[in-house]
Amino acid sequence: MRLHRAIVPLALLFALPVQAQTPSLEEVWAIVQQQQREIDALKQQLATAEAELAEADRQIEATGDYVESLSVSTAVESATHIGGYGEVHYNNLDADDSANDLDQVDFHRFVLFFGHDFTDKVRFFSELELEHSLAGDGAPGEVELEQAYVEFLLSDTLSAKTGLFLLPIGLLNETHEPPTFYGVERNSVESVIIPSTWWEAGAALTGHNDAGLSWDLALHSGLAMPTSGGSAFRVRSGRQKVAEALASDPAVTARVGYTGIPGLSVAASVQYQSDPSQVAGDGLDSGLLFETHAAYSVGGFSLTGLYARWEFDGTAVEAAGADTQTGWYVEPSYRIATDGRWGFYGRYEDVEGARTQDQYSQWELGFNYWPIDDVVLKFDWRSRDHAVSAESGRDFDGFDLGVGYQF
Amino acid sequence: MRRFLAGLLLLVAIHAGGDARAEAGEYLTREAFLEAALATAEPASDVVWLDEALRNRAADILGHDPGMLRARYWYAAGRTAWVFDEIGKERPITMGVVIENGTIRDFRVLTFRESRGWEIRYAFFTRQFDGLGLDRDGELDATIDSISGATLSVRAARRVANLALVFDDVARRTNTEIASAR
């Protein structure tokens, strides 16, 4: 075809000087007919090319659709989910009594999540944790099942779950992946007063609405607090961890929350236990926990505060002076706005637990560095001061280093 | 306790059958989103092919490979609409972004499947994206306030908004019909 296109004008060029300067009508007619044949051939060629191009487009689209469907099926349709988090701590604390010094490194928590979606509306979630790296007889750590429940999505705004789940109390108990909080060690209030991580077995309902209001109601197994010995009336020692746990006296927990303003989170929880020791007539008859917290962030600044208070009834707990146990903390922080990789914080907390060693105030300053969103490096300096002079040997200053991750 | 458990079982039984027609957590179908976004039931559609540079840019924004050869978009009257799935913690969240004149006109969560972070599906959160564009570094030109306990879902929403704005910029340079299509 290219040859034809070249020959026709060349023929004309060479023909014209040889023949008369003005072609005859027959010659013009022959040229027009030749050009028309060329045009028809070109049209045919164009139509063929357009058809081939459309077919190529269709094939490319089909190939793209197929290749993308492979990646989508992997990302979207996988019914089983795996995740986890972990944190390594180094503590270097100088106590007033050197016997209480601490200079140790510990893989504090190694956690794996396993979840499975049976259907769109029925799913399973679990959390298995190895604490302190080594578990077994005489070993410092434990293997713990911290969550294992089935959740039913009842509607767009209502769900129910049953099994072993984290209680809806405080800031850390349900969300405690290391990149989500400041400080190598978790705050003391949510350890001494709210015994995080705190899980129980039972059933719960959760709801929310489009204004940002949410609520939780859970009926679950309760604490079995000791009423004698060195840990008498210590809340944390009452966790049964759903391990052949006494269930004669259940507990109920309720929470309301509001997150309707971006950056703001406010919530309050109440828990009632008819007998926190699970033993009738031992002087610890009932317990009521009240907790409230607020967190507000604007730009890089955040301010977080939490208050928790236990009220226990019973002659023995009152005689021991452990009938009221309280704690609170306030934590301002600033995350550098330019890249968000560095965050600095300060925290002051005050706890009044059952044991005298759990009655102290603590200052803490430090920073987090997130090289990527899901990995964090931490540093903090802490100073603890006990309220009871007999415990002053436990007062300390020191620093902590940590690395944490989640996926 | 027995009354609570009985009530809970009754609730589960009532809702267990549920509405089998829609996927759980789906609040807006893609078709309804596009019709609302572009004011036409059958908007024109095209794709942005991801060359190496654009794929790398998308990977920077998402923090992982975009997992797509091209990004499909719909357009009408100068607006483009994009729909992406992005995982917050464990499950993909389907989000739609409408862009006009280089800024976000609307941001919607079409399907939310995560167990935490439900707040991001509601207007009190998504309206933070209205009017956002790209800064000189190609990132969102304003901060999005996070939600305590919903950090991962909020991040997923930020990533999708950023990605849609970058793709919209490419689309407008390669498709001259976007401004005129009805």
Side-chain angles (χ1 to χ4, degrees), chain A residues 60-61 63-65 67-68 71-72 75-76 81-84 113 115-117 120-121 123-125 149 151-158 160-162 171 174-177 179-180 203-205 207-214 217-219 250 259-265 295 297-299 335 337-338 373-374 406-407, chain B residues 1-5 7-8 11-27 46-50 61-62 66-72 85 87-92 94 112-116 118-119 121-128 137 139 143-152 155 158-159:
Chain A
I60 290 170
E61 287 295 313
T63 304
D65 286 345
V67 172
E68 287 177 356
S71 62
V72 167
V76 176
H81 312 278
I82 298 174
F113 299 129
H116 183 75
D117 299 342
D120 279 349
K121 298 180 179 179
R123 53 199 193 185
F124 168 77
F125 186 79
Y149 63 82
E151 183 178 43
F152 303 87
L153 304 182
L154 304 181
S155 74
D156 285 348
T157 57
L158 184 67
K161 62 185 171 189
T162 183
L171 278 162
E174 291 180 296
T175 305
H176 44 242
E177 291 84 344
T180 64
L205 277 173
H208 64 261
N209 69 12
D210 60 2
L213 282 167
S214 62
L217 181 63
L219 184 67
T259 48
I261 298 172
L264 176 67
S265 173
S297 300
V298 58
R335 191 160 177 170
T338 48
D373 287 343
D374 294 326
Q406 63 178 352
F407 61 92
Chain B
M1 182 172 185
R2 286 178 186 151
R3 270 179 287 181
F4 180 87
L5 289 175
L8 188 65
L11 262 173
V12 171
I14 289 170
H15 289 84
D19 182 359
R21 291 165 299 178
E23 182 183 0
E26 183 181 49
Y27 315 112
D46 201 351
V47 295
V48 169
W49 284 90
L50 276 67
I61 292 168
L62 296 173
M68 61 178 102
L69 291 172
R70 69 268 158 88
R72 181 162 297 283
D85 281 326
I87 291 175
K89 172 71 173 171
E90 296 175 323
R91 299 175 175 87
T94 305
F112 186 82
R113 305 172 182 87
E114 295 280 11
S115 55
R116 286 190 277 176
W118 53 269
E119 291 92 340
R121 61 179 263 209
Y122 289 116
F124 64 75
F125 172 76
T126 58
R127 62 176 165 244
Q128 291 187 94
D137 296 326
E139 296 174 353
T143 56
I144 298 295
D145 288 325
S146 193
I147 294 170
S148 180
T151 308
L152 298 177
R155 278 190 206 147
R158 279 189 196 132
R159 293 195 293 266

Side-chain angles (χ1 to χ4, degrees), chain B residues 15-176:
Chain B
H15 289 84
D19 182 359
R21 291 165 299 178
E23 182 183 0
E26 183 181 49
Y27 315 112
L28 191 61
T29 64
R30 188 177 70 182
E31 292 70 25
F33 163 70
L34 293 174
E35 186 168 357
L38 304 174
T40 173
E42 294 184 356
S45 169
D46 201 351
V47 295
V48 169
W49 284 90
L50 276 67
D51 59 18
E52 186 179 357
L54 191 56
R55 174 172 296 278
N56 290 339
R57 179 81 188 96
D60 282 346
I61 292 168
L62 296 173
H64 58 79
D65 188 273
M68 61 178 102
L69 291 172
R70 69 268 158 88
R72 181 162 297 283
Y73 64 96
W74 296 261
Y75 59 95
R79 294 178 201 161
T80 62
W82 307 78
V83 176
F84 296 111
D85 281 326
E86 179 65 2
I87 291 175
K89 172 71 173 171
E90 296 175 323
R91 299 175 175 87
I93 307 165
T94 305
M95 291 167 270
V97 189
V98 186
I99 300 172
E100 185 174 24
N101 296 325
T103 60
I104 294 174
R105 181 184 172 86
D106 197 12
F107 185 101
R108 296 289 186 94
V109 173
L110 278 60
T111 307
F112 186 82
R113 305 172 182 87
E114 295 280 11
S115 55
R116 286 190 277 176
W118 53 269
E119 291 92 340
I120 76 155
R121 61 179 263 209
Y122 289 116
F124 64 75
F125 172 76
T126 58
R127 62 176 165 244
Q128 291 187 94
F129 290 96
D130 294 352
L132 263 59
L134 295 174
D135 63 15
R136 285 192 295 182
D137 296 326
E139 296 174 353
L140 293 180
D141 59 5
T143 56
I144 298 295
D145 288 325
S146 193
I147 294 170
S148 180
T151 308
L152 298 177
S153 295
V154 170
R155 278 190 206 147
R158 279 189 196 132
R159 293 195 293 266
V160 162
N162 198 160
L163 189 70
L165 284 163
V166 168
F167 283 178
D168 173 80
D169 184 50
V170 175
R172 285 175 195 279
R173 281 189 271 118
T174 55
N175 184 351
T176 56

Side-chain angles (χ1 to χ4, degrees), chain A residues 90-319:
Chain A
Y90 171 69
N91 310 109
N92 189 315
L93 307 176
D94 287 328
D96 286 7
D97 180 346
S98 60
N100 294 316
D101 284 355
L102 192 62
D103 187 358
Q104 73 171 25
V105 64
D106 180 32
F107 203 114
H108 198 144
R109 297 180 180 90
F110 177 82
V111 176
L112 291 173
F113 299 129
F114 293 97
H116 183 75
D117 299 342
F118 299 108
T119 71
D120 279 349
K121 298 180 179 179
V122 182
R123 53 199 193 185
F124 168 77
F125 186 79
S126 70
E127 176 179 347
L128 188 66
E129 176 167 327
L130 171 59
E131 278 199 341
H132 306 302
S133 192
L134 194 61
D137 287 344
E142 295 175 291
V143 176
E144 295 175 329
L145 184 63
E146 295 198 347
Q147 297 187 72
Y149 63 82
V150 177
E151 183 178 43
F152 303 87
L153 304 182
L154 304 181
S155 74
D156 285 348
T157 57
L158 184 67
S159 64
K161 62 185 171 189
T162 183
L164 186 160
F165 52 85
L166 301 175
L167 297 185
I169 302 171
L171 278 162
L172 276 179
N173 201 50
E174 291 180 296
T175 305
H176 44 242
E177 291 84 344
T180 64
F181 64 89
Y182 284 106
V184 174
E185 302 292 346
R186 299 175 180 177
N187 73 76
S188 300
V189 181
E190 291 183 270
S191 171
V192 175
I193 308 302
I194 303 168
S196 297
T197 306
W198 189 4
W199 63 91
E200 299 287 357
L205 277 173
T206 299
H208 64 261
N209 69 12
D210 60 2
L213 282 167
S214 62
W215 58 268
D216 301 81
L217 181 63
L219 184 67
H220 52 82
S221 52
L223 298 168
M225 289 166 55
T227 55
S228 60
S231 293
F233 310 115
R234 180 183 181 231
V235 176
R236 195 169 184 82
S237 297
R239 295 182 304 170
Q240 301 189 81
K241 303 188 176 183
V242 197
E244 298 183 345
L246 298 170
S248 57
D249 293 282
V252 61
T253 300
R255 175 176 67 184
V256 292
Y258 176 70
T259 48
I261 298 172
L264 176 67
S265 173
V266 183
S269 298
V270 175
Q271 182 183 106
Y272 176 73
Q273 303 215 11
S274 58
D275 190 338
S277 65
Q278 308 279 331
V279 177
D282 62 353
L284 178 58
D285 299 335
S286 68
L288 182 68
L289 169 66
F290 172 74
E291 180 274 337
T292 186
H293 64 258
Y296 184 60
S297 300
V298 58
F301 289 99
S302 296
L303 182 63
T304 300
L306 181 147
Y307 173 80
R309 179 186 185 91
W310 275 104
E311 293 284 352
F312 295 106
D313 280 337
T315 52
V317 72
E318 288 164 11

